[in-house]
Amino acid sequence: MNAFKGLLRKDIKISIGYFYTIMIFMVIAFAAGWIFSNYYDTRMLVGVISFALIIAHVIYLPGSLLTSLNMEGKTQLWLHNPQSSAKLLLSKLTACSLLSVCSTILITIITIISIASLAEFNEMFSTGDIVMIAVAIWVLSFYISIWVLFYWTVYHSIARVQALKKLRWLVLIAIWYLWEMLTGLFGKISFVQALKDKWMLNIGNVFHMETGANSFQASFEMMDISIFVLAGYCLTAILLFWLSSWALDKKVEV
């Protein structure tokens, strides 16, 4: 446990620069929003920017994780680290996740405060709706991050095979295409379709937003999601993490 705590502290230090960069970007975005809202005499622009920043957080965690992995890869210290590959990867994923949660909470609070006095927004959704949007965006970003982790380890693993070293991007594209094809075929099986329709979970309102030059429209629609599909995503994430750890165990050339 102490070894993992040490890894976690180290990975937080590596990722904190990315976190500060995002904070600076959000400050600049809000400052620009206030300036333009005053110039055009419409405070609604601040609310639009707030929501845009929440949605943009879908790429925060994957970007932070990829940056941390690349920084680690340049030092090549992983090749000599006595800790298991699962601990090394889990530490990075945990560190980036903690910082992304902090950023998501911050932007959510700012969004709630910034639109509290805007009747246009208050008529469309509540504080609970905003929180649910932020949670959904973060969960999606976490799932994407697992794929980033997997692709990163596969990309560097292929470097050990001279015949494929210059074709690594094609291999990654082929993996993605093969996965999409297999999941598509699997989803068409009648038994699987029956399972997807049997266990449904109501997740409440799903957010839709449309913006125009002089307009802003948002709405929520009731939506059900299959528990079988959710379980599939969870199992996929676990499998990808295990494969990533296995690849790193082979002393990946980074």
Side-chain angles (χ1 to χ4, degrees):
M1 181 60 70
N2 290 332
F4 183 78
K5 287 181 179 179
L7 285 172
L8 187 58
R9 284 195 295 268
K10 182 261 295 182
D11 286 325
I12 288 177
K13 289 181 180 179
I14 291 176
S15 304
I16 198 69
Y18 189 94
F19 175 80
Y20 289 145
T21 301
I22 295 300
M23 293 298 102
I24 293 173
F25 173 78
M26 287 199 299
V27 170
I28 294 174
F30 270 105
W34 280 107
I35 292 173
F36 281 108
S37 65
N38 290 328
Y39 180 81
Y40 290 107
D41 194 24
T42 171
R43 288 190 59 196
M44 190 169 64
L45 182 60
V46 177
V48 173
I49 291 177
S50 300
F51 272 105
L53 288 174
I54 289 180
I55 296 172
H57 267 66
V58 71
I59 62 174
Y60 173 95
L61 180 52
S64 176
L65 181 62
L66 183 59
T67 300
S68 181
L69 288 169
N70 287 335
M71 291 178 64
E72 196 78 58
K74 291 179 180 178
T75 65
Q76 298 195 19
L77 293 177
W78 275 5
L79 300 179
H80 312 287
N81 198 304
Q83 301 300 321
S84 67
S85 59
K87 282 186 178 181
L88 295 173
L89 294 178
L90 184 60
S91 174
K92 288 203 169 294
L93 187 60
T94 302
C96 293
S97 296
L98 288 174
L99 291 175
S100 71
V101 166
C102 292
S103 180
T104 301
I105 291 175
L106 180 60
I107 186 59
T108 302
I109 293 174
I110 292 174
T111 300
I112 293 172
I113 294 174
S114 64
I115 70 173
S117 60
L118 298 177
E120 298 92 336
F121 284 92
N122 291 327
E123 292 175 358
M124 291 184 286
F125 36 72
S126 64
T127 298
D129 293 328
I130 299 173
V131 172
M132 289 303 298
I133 293 169
V135 171
I137 291 295
W138 189 89
V139 171
L140 177 59
S141 72
F142 183 84
Y143 182 73
I144 295 174
S145 298
I146 297 295
W147 275 100
V148 168
L149 195 67
F150 170 72
Y151 276 126
W152 187 87
T153 52
V154 170
Y155 179 82
H156 291 289
S157 296
I158 298 174
R160 304 182 62 180
V161 183
Q162 291 299 321
L164 297 175
K165 189 172 183 178
K166 294 183 179 181
L167 303 174
R168 288 181 288 179
W169 284 108
L170 292 178
V171 173
L172 296 184
I173 293 173
I175 291 174
W176 174 81
Y177 179 80
L178 180 62
W179 175 260
E180 289 294 315
M181 183 181 68
L182 291 177
T183 53
L185 293 174
F186 182 73
K188 292 180 180 179
I189 300 175
S190 58
F191 174 72
V192 174
Q193 290 180 337
L195 288 176
K196 290 164 67 174
D197 296 334
K198 186 175 182 180
W199 295 304
M200 302 298 293
L201 176 67
N202 184 274
I203 59 174
N205 295 324
V206 177
F207 178 67
H208 296 274
M209 182 174 66
E210 296 180 2
T211 59
N214 300 305
S215 64
F216 176 83
Q217 293 183 345
S219 62
F220 285 87
E221 298 178 1
M222 298 297 292
M223 181 178 178
D224 294 330
I225 188 169
S226 170
I227 296 178
F228 180 79
V229 173
L230 288 177
Y233 282 123
C234 292
L235 290 176
T236 298
I238 294 172
L239 175 62
L240 291 175
F241 184 83
W242 178 82
L243 289 173
S244 301
S245 301
W246 175 81
L248 194 61
D249 267 333
K250 298 299 181 180
K251 301 303 179 182
V252 177
E253 287 187 4
V254 294

